[in-house]
Amino acid sequence: MLLQEQWKNVLDILQNEVTAVTFDLWISTLNPVSYTNDELVLTAPSITAKTQVNQPAIFDKVTNCIRKVFTPYTFVKIVEVQEYEESVRKENAKQEEVKETAALKTRFNRKYTFDNFVVGKSNQVVCAAMQSVAEHPSEKFNPLFIYGGVGLGKTHLLHAVGNYLNEHRPELNVMYVTCEKFTNDYVECIRTKNNVNSDFREKYRSVDVLMIDDIQFISNKMGIQEEFFHTFNDLYQNNKQIIIASDRSPKEMSALEERLRSRFASGLIQDIQEPDYETKVAILRKKCSQEGYLVDDDVIDFIAQKTGTNIREMEGILSKVVFYSSLINKTHVSFDDAKEALKDYGETERNDLDANNIIAVVCDFYGVSKEDVLGNKRNKEIVEPRQVSIYLINDLLGIPLTAIGQIFGGRDHTTIMHARDKIASLIKTNPHTKVAINDLKSKLTKK
Ligand code: ADP
Ligand code: MG
């Protein structure tokens, strides 16, 4: 039965229960607008009408009649019509926002799947842990904290989890953010609203799976760790899955608050190691078949041997070789072409080495641009390669700090000294930085 019809039945009964004046003046002006979960909402045309009907003597009679027609436990609510319209408007806006958030659901890189991830000795445990979390979110390892050096596949695995969940559990709200994005959202909130308003909290706390990449960049300034701690606790208590990636273990993150460290330790902390030769070859083969590159086996061996442990960089070299062959109109990459294409790679004599070479090699390694490294950007993704360049220029070329400052857009020598010392101390505390610097050095100084 339609709501209006039911209401008419109510009115028929009510007519005999209240005085004609009450009925005509107040009751007949009510309008049923919704009936959900045993709650009937009636609008009154004015505050006065609402107040009148809400008087116990009238309200009880109205409720009784309604319960005869609807259900015996119907709950009755009288609202003034404008008040009601306002609440509907707000509710709609909220629904819209929810839809928008759903539309913003992270799109993951289609190339970064479990299928495309080559499993070897160095990464098999991490990969298994990630797969198991993807298959059983919130049931296995929570939080799952993975760490390892630059270019070893952490971001790839996070996207793989995202792709898997989008496909198999589309109802779940899966969010991937870099630590930088999380921080910026938070700072923006403080700046514009002067407090961490509910938007920020709702956004981060309404997810089922939260993945934060590059958490090593979390700052201990401005309450960011505090906010992260609350987000973390909230999700954790509501049994939501949290996955975190970092280039170093929680133990090695010196700026990390103790309470966060111990939260991370409550789940699984798993490292991803540098790939061995076989894994590198397997990754190169996979890449070739994925991209349709025709490359001789000895070229693949050659690239695997020549490169360090950073897989991103290794892929970059493969692309370079393929690109070179395409320039000379070859569809098939032979060993000689590869040698020719890579003749400058890692062949720099120590004496030829200059600051430019160093910066170029570091940029390749981290996948950032030279302009950014020389420029003023302060985000940590850029700051680290900048500091590494400074460290290496000082270490390998012995160029004085003030002169290095000139190369880096006139920075003063204390800034340069700080950068150098930062990396020098990281080499001691973070094995991945140590490996990265060794890799870079051997590349830069190879005969
Ligand atoms: P990280 O986040 O650890 O710095 P990424 O996940 O960005 O590294 O990986 C760098 C590149 O190397 C990506 O293109 C990724 O697809 C590739 N890669 C890393 N490990 C593997 C692997 N085991 N199999 C296939 N590709 C890999
Ligand atoms: Mg990454």
Side-chain angles (χ1 to χ4, degrees), residues 112 116-118 123 151-156 283 311-312 315:
Y112 291 170
N116 289 343
F117 193 80
V118 173
N123 58 27
L152 298 186
K154 300 180 295 294
T155 300
H156 184 134
I283 292 173
I311 296 164
R312 181 182 308 112
E315 289 181 347

Side-chain angles (χ1 to χ4, degrees), residues 24-269:
D24 289 345
L25 267 184
W26 315 120
I27 307 283
S28 65
T29 63
L30 297 176
N31 189 26
V33 284
S34 77
Y35 178 59
T36 41
N37 300 333
D38 285 329
E39 184 187 66
L40 176 67
V41 179
L42 299 159
T43 55
S46 64
I47 298 283
T48 318
K50 171 180 151 180
T51 318
Q52 290 295 332
V53 182
N54 269 329
Q55 289 184 66
I58 302 181
F59 188 76
D60 289 350
K61 283 186 179 149
V62 172
T63 306
N64 279 339
C65 291
I66 288 172
R67 288 184 174 168
K68 282 182 193 150
V69 175
F70 287 79
T71 64
Y73 10 82
T74 302
F75 182 78
V76 180
K77 195 171 165 191
I78 318 278
V79 257
E80 193 263 329
V81 66
Q82 280 177 2
E83 209 177 63
Y84 174 74
E85 279 165 6
E86 177 65 8
S87 74
V88 168
R89 205 188 50 71
K90 275 197 188 143
E91 183 55 30
N92 285 346
K94 207 170 165 191
Q95 296 280 335
E96 274 306 303
E97 207 173 286
V98 171
K99 267 194 227 148
E100 261 172 41
T101 324
L104 283 178
K105 219 174 148 179
T106 321
R107 301 267 164 270
F108 295 99
N109 186 333
R110 297 297 308 160
K111 283 191 176 170
Y112 291 170
T113 60
F114 284 119
D115 282 347
N116 289 343
F117 193 80
V118 173
V119 180
K121 249 192 262 148
S122 57
N123 58 27
Q124 61 192 13
V125 183
V126 145
C127 186
M130 291 291 263
Q131 250 164 335
S132 135
V133 163
E135 284 161 18
H136 310 278
S138 311
E139 288 172 32
K140 291 277 172 164
F141 312 113
N142 201 15
L144 174 55
F145 188 108
I146 66 167
Y147 70 96
V150 177
L152 298 186
K154 300 180 295 294
T155 300
H156 184 134
L157 283 172
L158 292 176
H159 280 253
V161 170
N163 279 318
Y164 183 93
L165 287 172
N166 276 358
E167 187 182 337
H168 293 90
R169 304 284 301 275
E171 77 283 6
L172 294 185
N173 190 357
V174 182
M175 190 193 258
Y176 165 95
V177 275
T178 59
C179 184
E180 200 198 358
K181 170 92 171 72
F182 182 87
T183 304
N184 287 350
D185 275 4
Y186 175 77
V187 171
E188 185 62 17
C189 231
I190 304 270
R191 198 178 64 77
T192 54
K193 313 264 173 45
N194 214 8
N195 68 359
V196 187
N197 72 352
S198 53
D199 291 0
F200 178 87
R201 297 220 157 123
E202 236 168 71
K203 175 170 168 189
Y204 283 100
R205 297 184 191 183
S206 63
V207 301
D208 300 302
V209 178
L210 178 65
M211 302 194 266
I212 301 204
D213 203 354
D214 289 326
I215 195 90
Q216 73 271 10
F217 295 135
I218 197 165
S219 137
N220 55 0
K221 290 196 200 100
M222 296 193 293
I224 288 161
Q225 294 205 15
E226 173 88 19
E227 190 56 36
F228 179 69
F229 183 74
H230 292 305
T231 307
F232 183 100
N233 280 348
D234 206 72
L235 290 173
Y236 186 75
Q237 274 156 17
N238 288 301
N239 201 29
K240 308 294 188 187
Q241 178 71 49
I242 302 157
I243 311 177
I244 296 161
S246 166
D247 76 348
R248 61 205 78 162
S249 77
K251 257 193 243 144
E252 293 154 356
M253 290 173 61
S254 55
L256 195 66
E257 289 175 15
E258 204 43 50
R259 54 184 185 166
L260 273 176
R261 216 188 301 272
S262 72
R263 283 295 187 279
F264 295 160
S266 70
L268 177 68
I269 299 177

